[in-house]
Amino acid sequence: MWARSVLGIVSLALVFNDALAFKEQDFKTCSQSGFCRRGRALSQRAQEAKSAWQSPYSVDPSTISVATDKAVVQAGVKSSLYPEVNFGLEVRIQEDGAVRVRMDEVGGLRKRYDEAASWALISEPIISKNIKWVAGKKDLRASYGPNEVVVSYAPLQVTLYKNGKEQVVINGKGLLHMEHFRKKPEPAAAVEATPAAEGQEQTVIEAPENPRAWFEGADEDALWEETFNSWTDSKPKGPESLSVDITFPNHPVVYGIPQHATRLALPSTAGENPTFTDPYRLYNADVFEYLASSPVSLYGSIPLMHAHSEESTVAVFDLVASETWIDVSHSTDRSTETHWISESGILDVFILPGPTPDDVFAQYAKLTGTPPMPALFGLGYHQCRWNYVSSEDVRTVQKRFDEENIPMDVLWLDIEYSVDHEYFMWNEKMFPDPVEMINDVAATGRKMVVIVDPHLKRDNNYPAFTAAQELGILVKPKSGEGEYEGWCWPGSSSWVDFFNPNAWDWWKSLFKPYQLEGGKWSWTKSTEDVHIWNDMNEPSVFNGPEITMPKDNVHYDGWEHRDVHNINGMLYSNATWQALAVRSDPPKRPFVLTRSFFAGSQRFGAMWTGDNLGTWEHMEVGVKMVLSNSIAGLSFAGSDVGGFFGNPEPEMLVRWYQVGAFAPFFRAHAHIDTKRREPYLLPSPYKEMAIDTLRLRYTLLPVWYTAFRETSVSGKPILRPQYTVFPKDRRGWEMDDQYYIGGSGLLVKPVTKKDVREAEVYLGEDEVYYEYFTGETYRGAAKGRTVTVPAALDQIPLLVRGGSVVPTRERPRRASGLMKYDPFTLKVALSKDEGARGELYLDDGETFGHQRGEYVWREFTAVKSKKGLRVSSRDLGSARPAEAVEGASPGLTSYDRGNKYARTLEERDVRVEKVVVVGVKAKPKSVKLDSQGGKELEWEWTPGVGSKEKKGGRAGVLVIKDPGVKVTQDWDIVIL
Amino acid sequence: MVPWLLLALPLGATAAAGSDKLLGVHPSALAKYTPTKSNTWKCLDGSKEISWNAVNDDYCDCPDGSDEPGTSACPDSRFWCKNEGHIGAYIHSSRVGDGLCETECCDGSDERPGTCPNRCKEIGEAYRAKRDAELKIQKTGSKIRSTYIAFAHKERKRLEDLAASLEKDIVAKEKEVEKLREIAERTESLTQAALDHKRQSPLYQSLLNHNKALKSLKREYKKHADKEKQLGQILDSLRTGYNPNYQDMAVLEAVRGWEELAGLPHINDVKKDGEESSTPEPESEKTEEAVDDGLWTADELDSELDDLIGTDYTSLLLEHEDHINTPTEDSLLFKITSYIPDAWLPQYEAWKDNFVDWLEKLGIVSEESSGSSTEATRAQQALTEANAELAHMKREKTESESDVLKIFNPEHFGAEGEWKKLDDTCINHEVGDYTYELCFFKEAKQKPNKGGSNFSLGRFQSWNKDARPGSPEYYSKQVYQHGTRCWNGPERSVVVLLTCGVENTIYSVQELEKCEYQFKGTSPALCLPPGKEPQNHEEL
């Protein structure tokens, strides 16, 4: 295999030259993947056959079994192609109206992988006890509310209707095909069939006509073995792929199935003039210098797709962990057809009926969970580089931040901290005093995030490796014996199999920052201020097929890697998350960043968009990718500020900071070959612009934190693209360059192009919006309106939606934790109806006390009446205790306003220092606190436009100075 | 009113309480913080008049932030920590009330009472102890520095003397050269015609061609050898510095290929699934390179080819003549009469006697064997040698003169010449598998401890260009550039950061960016005598 000739060396020079680009040849296209090829060929035949095409799968009515106590129906399914093979179908309707369709081969030669749900779902979904299935002659039906689910017998088809209108149709195009397990044909027969006598014309042996050719094609294509580049996949189980078509006859646009570097509204891959010629691929992969517009798979996969129309939003969640290709096409302007082709696993599709985007978010969250409340520092600014090379370097960087007064919460260490890339093991020559270094960073309220990758160097002196070896928890090669060896950063490595339960407790033990009893190794040279970055968990294997593991590797319980591939990365960050959560007593919220992810990864921390390039295109597509992740449940997301590769020019870096400051996860990172680019290194005036952006992020932390509370409970995304806020507004459906932040009313449109000094912002409603900094008014329209806002290099197009109350803390400090007792400023942006509403959620930001009721959740309102404008603060914790926080302890049905955390805020006199009312047309006569005997407050009014007025210009602004109210307190300010 | 008011207030009064209007105000600005008769106060930038009660009330009223010297309310104001027992200092308003007890504000006056103990006594003591220790180093260092300066003066003297004596030698040498040139020219003109004829010999012509061919071959060979060496270096650094981020199996293959070709051991043994791990094969062929009878070995080629190419063919031609013609024919010089016009003969004869006499003196012809025909070449040789010596002397003189200029040039060895002593002084620092060597004003190098080739990290380029030549900051940084180019990266370079110390040392080496190193070190040359350093900063 290895080059043994001088020729090999000569060709090396050529490799160097074009090494810096996406290497198309390293990754498969559909036509290079046997089962995808078969799946697409099936679709092709169906299209050619047109109306003559009929699915060979049908329900055997005699086998139907309807549960009497809950909405479950089971039935046998047959394929006319293989009458001897049995399939079992089960359709369940859950409490929330979601429909789960499962199909598996019954009594086959082997078992299909059916455990994906056990990793992705938070619990077994509760099946409705109220909805009833009714078996008819032709179909099974179940009705609830406006919805009806119909399972047609022949051919098999599952349809969700809403008010009689088709929402989701499974197998409507007849592309359902579950390849059954079969015996491998004797190789001898194959030899006989090709008597290739040299120099003679090859004899064509007439095979008997294949009765299944109309469906499966005449030739067997790559059923048993498949070679890509130099790797051969032995496919010991033979063909087991699964093809299924899912049609949305009344939904013209689809979103989701991250991760792809493309638009939020998924461009087509099939049908007439498709944008991409290959299907979207879900196969977690470490793609070097990925393209900024492509359907190729990237680091993570969430097989969730939203389908959207004016009337409803629905979704499908195809819970499969194997490599999956998805074609998207539109046969008409109003419909979408999708075709899902997976390599293995059972059929397990959830139909989420919506009908609004928020309903879909809730239904999906019910299945896979929500992001927990993050550690507050995780929302601050993260400074990373490959690599800060020594503890001296780390201290110097921290010092430079402090000298320039730049907020920063976390300093990161990439792989070079470790000796020989043996994670946990400090390179003591460069980091002679790791604990002291961490403590020095922590002394200013900061944290460190240190990388721990999943590959373990095969070094008998490396405790993590030897322990894993002893426990027998390493992934096995195709033989099922011994340990799989591959190549990654440290050279020859092996991988822990986190599907093996024996790995879990061991992994937890490694992160203990103290000496374990019994002398077992743990990371004593760390502290509770160290959090973890999990990279390369696709897994990335440098000498493996498509830079990952061979599919025939063997995991726990004998499952092949192909069966579990897309889940692999999630289990790794999950294990790390659990380890950090139990590291300390009382437990503290972990921060774990992962590159690879799957449905459910939102429960285990943050993700980022991987190794992006320092180009404007990547800056732009990064926003779209983060939005796509957000609507697929994984809100805690961001892309590397500055781009991982390359040396961004100052203008680009400034804009990138603006992008990053408006993403939930805000980290700057850089490749080892790049110049240093910490914000303090920028020349003026760019430096000041970047610093101002960072400080803006810190003043807005209450907004981000409050948005996380809502997400943690409802599953609604932190970043909300236009279609999720205005589902009926067709003009907003394709928009993926502007978005709202939680329910705060902040609308941002980051500039992602060079030399741009103006931005077009779309306002999808008849409402007034205010420019965040100047109060300039912009009016939307019921039909939507595009307005032009200034966007000089130091300006971020940031608007406040009329009707919002935005809580901020205007004292950015060195780190978020240092701001915990700072006072709040409320920006009350009046709506055209002169009202406003907003929320503020607070807790200690580091423990799980919030789940025991230790939090403060406030509502701020502004209401106009004859008695003037009343701005009020009310307690939401008492009003809605059950929906306050995620993971609340059972039995926590009421809220104690005097809880430990709230008391701390009171003791520290945490107050509202300023109330800014925007859109006040006339100078008030008086501004009084409606308690404490109606004390007149100090205030200042700047003339300008009122919120009701149609004309443009700066809004009239009323600034109320220090009303003398605590943030935990109920109060009313009356403006006459 | 100000001082007693300060004393009356409890130290470290809470910022939020707002009772202390003068909290955080620098002593020199205290006078500005007094209310008007109507109990108002004007922001320091004059932009706004506010109530005196609004000063230090933890709410930012003034656009310039001047109304909140004692709180964190204004985003960009400063808080003055008195730090009695230590040195007063400003901290940024963002650090007021952040719950941290920073050293800069050792009296804790920026935090709520009870948050931070007053640590000024211990911090002040530690600070003074540190300062004393530094002062001691500075004193010792400055003594060493003065020896450096003395050295520079001596060096100047030496160089100036050298230049002067060289000047004399040069004058003498120039005369000698003049004479030799005359002789050589004459000899040349005498022999040229005969030589030209002999050079028509096919043998001679063929020899010249052989020589040309040899030279060309040598040139080509050298080119290839250089290229091979460079390739070898590239591959060596690829092999040792292989950056797997490129995740490129082609690179791995290249490394393995190179290892086999160069007979190197495998740097890391990884094998693809199912593939045998191969052990390095004994490199038998390489050592047993067969050499045909009589042919030169590589070593011989190396040492003898140059000699061969450098053969003086004219001499050879003449020797050849001598060899084939039976001995004792008159030297060309003495047969010259047959070539010159008759009219010139009398003068010629007179001159000839004189000239032969000269040649004898110089040893170009001997009295008895003046039959040799190489005197022209020898004359030329003598001239060349004399010329070379002259050039060398001149160069040496120019160098010493320019060295003299450099010694006290602030942009070279410093205004006092304090750096001259370190010219070409080398110091080392070991980090991990490498030793880093810095030869001041020459070159920085990275030397692998386990063997392998050295890398140049760059040659001296400049002092700190961002500082004024002659200032201490100017000499606190040296830049070495244009070292060996990194594979797929820039040329290696070093920034040397220096501070005062009693020794010339490097104590830290970091590669902050790829192939861009930072050395930190000390040198007595940076130790100004205490009290003489420019006073340009307020302490702390």
Side-chain angles (χ1 to χ4, degrees), chain A residues 452-471:
Chain A
V452 174
D453 281 352
H455 44 265
L456 300 180
K457 184 177 172 71
R458 296 185 59 84
D459 169 358
N460 290 331
N461 297 314
Y462 179 28
F465 171 68
T466 51
Q469 198 171 40
E470 258 171 50
L471 285 166

Side-chain angles (χ1 to χ4, degrees), chain A residues 1-4 6 9 12 15-16 19-20 23 230-231 286 288 385-387 389-390 392-393 396 402-403 405 429-430 443-444 457 477-478 485-487 489-492 536 540 542-543 547 644-645 671-676 695 811-814 818 822 907-908 911 913-914 940 959-962, chain B residues 48 54 57-61 71-76 92-98 100 102 112 231 234-235 238 242-258 260-261 268-273 275 278 281 431-433 487-488 507-514 516 518 520:
Chain A
M1 184 60 234
W2 303 108
R4 292 181 193 281
V6 180
I9 292 173
L12 177 72
V15 172
F16 286 167
L20 295 168
K23 298 177 95 179
S230 59
W231 293 274
D286 179 2
F288 181 75
R385 176 180 171 80
W386 179 24
N387 223 110
V389 300
S390 63
E392 184 188 348
D393 194 7
T396 308
D402 284 349
E403 281 167 358
N405 220 36
K429 283 175 180 135
M430 301 311 284
T444 45
K457 184 177 172 71
K478 64 182 174 190
E485 294 180 39
W487 177 276
W489 299 121
S492 183
M536 314 296 279
S540 177
F542 293 163
N543 64 337
I547 326 292
F644 181 56
F645 298 104
H671 188 273
I672 197 166
D673 284 350
T674 62
K675 302 294 290 174
R676 294 228 169 186
R695 296 176 74 168
R811 305 182 184 192
R813 297 185 186 266
R814 279 177 288 178
L818 305 179
D822 281 344
E907 280 159 19
R908 295 298 302 263
R911 65 207 163 96
E913 68 168 326
K914 193 194 258 189
E940 204 173 335
V959 176
I960 303 168
K961 173 175 172 175
D962 199 0
Chain B
K48 208 171 165 185
D57 68 342
D58 204 19
Y59 181 91
C60 194
D61 293 281
T71 76
S72 59
C74 293
D76 278 308
H92 194 274
S93 59
S94 70
R95 298 184 189 186
V96 177
D98 65 357
L100 299 183
E102 48 272 275
R112 287 155 45 93
L231 268 173
I234 290 171
L235 289 164
L238 172 65
Y242 161 51
N243 180 343
N245 185 42
Y246 295 94
Q247 300 167 15
D248 193 334
M249 298 318 291
V251 173
L252 270 184
E253 286 178 21
V255 169
R256 298 294 290 245
W258 170 238
E260 281 188 19
L261 186 76
N268 207 334
D269 227 23
V270 71
K271 47 191 190 286
K272 277 178 71 173
D273 195 25
E275 198 175 323
S278 49
E281 283 161 37
V431 183
D433 298 334
W487 176 68
N488 207 9
Y507 60 84
S508 147
V509 172
Q510 298 187 95
E511 189 182 355
L512 293 180
E513 283 168 18
K514 196 171 181 194
E516 296 183 19
Q518 183 194 66
K520 285 187 180 172

Side-chain angles (χ1 to χ4, degrees), chain A residues 426-460:
Chain A
W426 295 95
N427 175 352
E428 305 221 340
K429 283 175 180 135
M430 301 311 284
F431 296 87
D433 53 352
V435 170
E436 289 80 0
M437 171 190 73
I438 297 158
N439 288 340
D440 283 351
V441 171
T444 45
R446 296 186 171 122
K447 310 286 176 188
M448 293 201 77
V449 169
V450 177
I451 199 165
V452 174
D453 281 352
H455 44 265
L456 300 180
K457 184 177 172 71
R458 296 185 59 84
D459 169 358
N460 290 331

Side-chain angles (χ1 to χ4, degrees), chain B residues 50 68 191 205 238 361 415 425 431 434 476 503 520:
Chain B
I50 60 171
E68 296 295 321
T191 56
Q205 288 302 323
L238 172 65
K361 273 186 198 159
T425 297
V431 183
Y434 298 98
S476 66
E503 279 174 21
K520 285 187 180 172

Side-chain angles (χ1 to χ4, degrees), chain B residues 10-78:
Chain B
L11 236 137
T14 163
S19 54
D20 184 355
K21 297 288 178 213
L22 300 174
L23 183 67
V25 180
H26 190 272
S28 70
L30 283 170
K32 293 176 189 161
Y33 286 84
T34 43
T36 61
K37 277 174 197 160
S38 51
N39 208 36
T40 62
W41 186 79
K42 224 176 200 176
C43 303
L44 293 187
D45 66 355
S47 62
K48 208 171 165 185
E49 184 154 334
I50 60 171
S51 157
W52 173 244
N53 293 331
V55 174
N56 264 348
D57 68 342
D58 204 19
Y59 181 91
C60 194
D61 293 281
C62 294
D64 68 347
S66 57
D67 63 314
E68 296 295 321
T71 76
S72 59
C74 293
D76 278 308
S77 61
R78 295 193 297 177

